[in-house]
Amino acid sequence: MANAAEDLDLSQYDVSKEEKDKLAAEVIRYVLFKTHQNAGCPIKREELTQLVTKNYRHRSLPGLIINEATQKLSSIFGYELRELQRSRPSAIQGRNSSQQSVADSRSYVIMSQLSADVYRRYVEDVDTAHITGFTFAVVSIVHLAGGKISEENLWHHLKRMELAETDENHPVLGNIKQTLEAVVLQRYLHKNKVSGPEGNTTFYELAERALDGPVSEKIKEYISEIVNKEVTYVDDE
């Protein structure tokens, strides 16, 4: 009965169960490959939609296939295919931003559903852990600045951590400026240039990935731990 109901449901999309499963597998392969290739940068929904619509024309089919891929990524691979709503730069920057106006669009990232301990023990790549640490440090600085900070002030704080804008050969992070740009590409930060009476000023602002629930909570926990350590240190003095 269940299979008959599924076949009936699929008939409205003009696809068979085998075709649906094949399309879902193609989406899963694409998501895993792009995540690895682009260092975790979000994948646009439009990219996944095009995988489905290149041979099929039903307008609702991409949604069905993406949902199927989401379920299989979770049950088979232990990943959540998390949808992000692309955020705009703040209204304060508004019309003065040199960045082209970007229409709101959906994108996806994959997040492990394993517990933190299990992930660290069996999955985490120690070779990229330093990048994660840098990302958390930068996003935390912007968070503490109220969600938005000038490029000059951001580099001021990073220099206190011995991370200079001109450093192209850091022993761990390599080119610091390129590493910061990667944080922007991964949609943790917006980068916008604003025109003013004294010339152009570049600002960094929290983007959708930094504002997403789980990441935002981790950042708050990270900041809270640092503050508590500082308080404890002062008390001990």
Side-chain angles (χ1 to χ4, degrees):
M1 288 294 290
N3 289 336
E6 182 179 13
D7 291 339
L8 181 62
D9 185 51
L10 291 175
S11 66
Q12 64 179 302
Y13 299 100
D14 197 26
V15 294
S16 65
K17 182 180 183 303
E18 289 73 22
E19 289 173 309
K20 180 200 71 171
D21 291 342
K22 184 178 179 180
L23 286 168
E26 189 173 349
V27 167
I28 289 171
R29 283 195 298 271
Y30 185 86
V31 167
L32 294 174
F33 173 76
K34 290 287 284 188
T35 298
H36 176 73
Q37 182 188 50
N38 295 335
C41 292
I43 300 164
K44 294 180 181 178
R45 183 182 175 90
E46 180 184 359
E47 296 177 53
L48 303 185
T49 297
Q50 288 174 353
L51 284 176
V52 178
T53 57
K54 64 183 179 183
N55 293 317
Y56 299 88
R57 293 288 176 260
H58 197 290
R59 293 180 61 185
S60 300
L61 184 59
L64 175 75
I65 299 303
I66 290 172
N67 286 340
E68 181 75 12
T70 299
Q71 293 172 14
K72 289 186 175 181
L73 272 168
S74 176
S75 62
I76 299 173
F77 297 95
Y79 283 117
E80 176 189 2
L81 184 63
R82 191 168 185 84
E83 182 178 295
L84 302 174
Q85 188 70 35
R86 191 178 181 92
S87 59
R88 297 175 182 272
S90 69
I92 297 174
Q93 296 165 356
R95 300 172 185 172
N96 292 329
S97 174
S98 67
Q99 187 182 54
Q100 292 182 342
S101 176
V102 181
D104 288 345
S105 61
R106 287 181 287 179
S107 60
Y108 298 91
V109 294
I110 57 174
M111 300 177 65
S112 175
Q113 295 176 314
L114 298 174
S115 67
D117 289 342
V118 172
Y119 183 85
R120 278 194 296 269
R121 183 175 300 178
Y122 299 108
V123 180
E124 187 174 57
D125 184 356
V126 294
D127 293 330
T128 61
H130 56 284
I131 301 295
T132 303
F134 176 81
T135 300
F136 260 75
V138 170
V139 172
S140 296
I141 290 170
V142 180
H143 177 83
L144 287 169
K148 178 181 173 183
I149 192 172
S150 69
E151 184 175 43
E152 181 181 358
N153 283 338
L154 177 58
W155 283 113
H156 171 74
H157 288 292
L158 290 176
K159 283 175 184 176
R160 296 176 64 183
M161 300 164 61
E162 299 185 358
L163 299 172
E165 182 179 7
T166 55
D167 192 347
E168 298 181 357
N169 296 291
H170 188 277
V172 177
L173 297 169
N175 188 310
I176 302 298
K177 197 169 184 178
Q178 288 181 2
T179 305
L180 179 59
E181 287 301 311
V183 178
V184 175
L185 290 173
Q186 291 172 355
R187 302 300 300 168
Y188 286 102
L189 297 175
H190 289 294
K191 182 181 180 181
N192 300 284
K193 192 172 289 184
V194 179
S195 300
E198 299 180 1
N200 295 330
T201 303
T202 299
F203 285 91
Y204 289 91
E205 182 178 358
L206 297 180
E208 61 270 18
R209 202 162 178 187
L211 295 169
D212 189 46
V215 175
S216 180
E217 287 303 314
K218 285 183 181 179
I219 291 168
K220 290 175 182 176
E221 289 175 10
Y222 172 71
I223 293 172
S224 178
E225 286 178 10
I226 293 175
V227 171
N228 288 337
K229 286 180 181 178
E230 288 292 330
V231 171
T232 302
Y233 176 78
V234 172
D235 289 342
D236 290 341
E237 289 290 311

